[in-house]
């Protein structure tokens, strides 16, 4: 079966994948993962991501933004700097941005400010917004709700929350990105139940590589480093949970992704 996939979260730059990125890209393409969204986590990294993506038109696409971990770097001039990065043709979304109260690598007030200003940019550019939320549901919801009506498209990547949160996010019309977290027999149980009920037209799939290696893979990969070439495994796992043929699920995800990012 020749299925085509898009991995909506590859941390190709600033991670363990960077050194061998050509083999990572080739390995993914060989199993049908023919498009990837490469995540920019701060302004410098976003520029680097854009430089790489420009070499792979129609294959690699960039996000540009400041991750909540780096929100303390957000300065008065950051919004203008990000606005100019967003003009590059390979940039398909504003982000990764949001709130992470799990790690609290940046002060929460800084996180809220950086998130709000990036949402403003998404409104001004009408680009989709690419978001992250860990243990910050209420603040995240409140801030997002202010902007939602004026945003074009919005995805919460690596959704791992509970049912009530999922319902509120779906009410806001968000897309939800599902990672190999769902394959984790310890902490992925809730998510494994929730993916059965998610609307088919709101799901996108992602590895978030090199993080979150799917724990159920057998034989277990020698390296704990996750790769975009494992995306078809995650797709099969979710399709099985939903009781759908892989082909139906994978094609729906691909359609959702191409429509969402306009790629
Ligand atoms: Zn994230």
């Amino acid at each position: 079966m020749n299925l085509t996939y898009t991995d909506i979260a590859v941390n190709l730059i600033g991670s363990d994948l960077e050194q061998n990125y050509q083999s990572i890209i080739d390995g993914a393409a060989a199993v049908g993962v023919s498009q990837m969204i490469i995540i920019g986590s701060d302004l410098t990294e976003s520029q680097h991501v854009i430089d790489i993506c420009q070499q792979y038109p129609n294959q690699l696409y960039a996000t540009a933004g400041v991750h909540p971990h780096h929100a303390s770097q957000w300065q008065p001039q950051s919004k203008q700097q990000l606005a100019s990065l967003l003009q590059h043709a390979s940039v398909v979304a504003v982000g990764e941005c949001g709130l992470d109260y799990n790690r609290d690598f940046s002060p929460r007030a800084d996180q809220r400010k950086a998130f709000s200003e990036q949402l403003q940019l998404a409104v001004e550019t009408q680009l989709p917004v690419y978001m992250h939320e860990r243990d910050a549901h209420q603040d995240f919801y409140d801030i997002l709700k202010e902007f939602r009506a004026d945003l074009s498209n919005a995805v919460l990547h690596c959704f791992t929350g509970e049912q009530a949160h999922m319902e509120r996010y779906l009410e806001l019309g968000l897309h939800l990105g599902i990672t190999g977290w769902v394959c984790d027999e310890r902490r992925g149980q809730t998510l494994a139940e929730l993916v059965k009920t998610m609307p088919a037209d709101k799901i996108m799939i992602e590895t978030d590589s090199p993080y979150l290696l799917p724990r159920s893979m057998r034989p277990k990969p020698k390296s704990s480093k996750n790769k975009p070439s494992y995306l078809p495994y995650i797709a099969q796992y979710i399709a099985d949970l939903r009781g759908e043929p892989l082909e139906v699920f994978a094609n729906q995800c691909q359609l959702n992704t191409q429509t969402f990012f306009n790629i």
Side-chain angles (χ1 to χ4, degrees):
M1 210 179 341
N2 279 331
L3 295 173
T4 309
Y5 299 88
T6 302
D7 188 344
I8 70 153
V10 182
N11 300 280
L12 192 66
I13 302 305
S15 80
D16 287 351
L17 301 182
E18 184 169 345
Q19 208 179 356
N20 293 314
Y21 74 86
Q22 185 63 56
S23 73
I24 297 291
I25 294 167
D26 293 344
V31 297
V33 183
S34 52
Q35 294 179 312
M36 297 186 247
I37 309 290
I38 312 298
I39 305 300
S41 308
D42 64 28
L43 296 180
T44 307
E45 188 183 285
S46 295
Q47 178 64 63
H48 192 174
V49 166
I50 291 165
D51 294 342
I52 298 280
C53 290
Q54 282 176 336
Q55 298 167 36
Y56 298 86
N58 306 315
Q59 187 177 12
L60 303 191
Y61 299 92
T63 74
V66 176
H67 191 283
H69 289 345
H70 305 297
S72 58
Q73 297 170 16
W74 190 265
Q75 301 294 322
Q77 67 276 19
S78 297
K79 191 176 175 209
Q80 190 49 48
Q81 289 167 345
L82 180 53
S84 69
L85 290 177
L86 295 175
Q87 291 176 356
H88 289 271
S90 54
V91 176
V92 293
V94 179
E96 174 173 353
C97 60
L99 302 177
D100 192 315
Y101 293 176
N102 179 275
R103 302 280 188 92
D104 279 322
F105 286 159
S106 285
R108 293 181 180 184
D110 292 357
Q111 293 190 38
R112 290 189 288 267
K113 183 170 175 57
F115 183 35
S116 293
E117 294 203 4
Q118 290 178 86
L119 289 172
Q120 278 168 20
L121 273 175
V123 169
E124 287 164 22
T125 58
Q126 285 298 297
L127 280 168
V129 61
Y130 189 103
M131 303 178 296
H132 170 111
E133 182 262 306
R134 285 289 298 282
D135 296 349
H137 173 74
Q138 192 60 49
D139 280 2
F140 182 91
Y141 179 87
D142 290 343
I143 293 170
L144 179 60
K145 200 168 193 289
E146 258 183 74
F147 293 93
R148 181 63 187 104
D150 301 318
L151 287 165
S152 60
N153 263 324
V155 59
L156 177 56
H157 105 101
C158 194
F159 174 76
T160 56
E162 56 193 67
Q163 179 162 3
H165 297 176
M166 180 182 84
E167 287 167 2
R168 293 177 90 201
Y169 289 144
L170 290 172
E171 274 169 32
L172 285 184
L174 302 193
H175 283 65
L176 300 173
I178 307 299
T179 62
W181 183 288
V182 73
C183 311
D184 188 324
E185 79 287 358
R186 304 163 307 169
R187 58 182 186 175
Q189 291 299 320
T190 305
L191 184 61
E193 285 304 309
L194 292 181
V195 295
K196 297 175 185 174
T197 66
M198 280 178 194
D201 62 347
K202 293 295 185 186
I203 304 182
M204 296 194 274
I205 51 175
E206 47 173 317
T207 59
D208 208 15
S209 51
Y211 316 113
L212 300 178
L213 177 73
R215 282 178 54 88
S216 52
M217 286 181 86
R218 297 293 180 273
K220 208 173 162 52
K222 285 191 193 78
S223 163
S224 63
K225 201 192 301 176
N226 197 5
K227 299 189 249 177
S229 56
Y230 298 153
L231 190 68
Y233 174 83
I234 297 171
Q236 178 75 65
Y237 196 95
I238 301 171
D240 289 346
L241 285 168
R242 290 171 63 84
E244 292 173 0
L246 174 62
E247 191 176 4
V248 170
F249 177 69
N251 286 340
Q252 176 75 53
C253 286
Q254 184 65 0
L255 176 67
N256 297 346
T257 303
Q258 291 181 323
T259 306
F260 182 94
F261 290 107
N262 194 23
I263 58 178

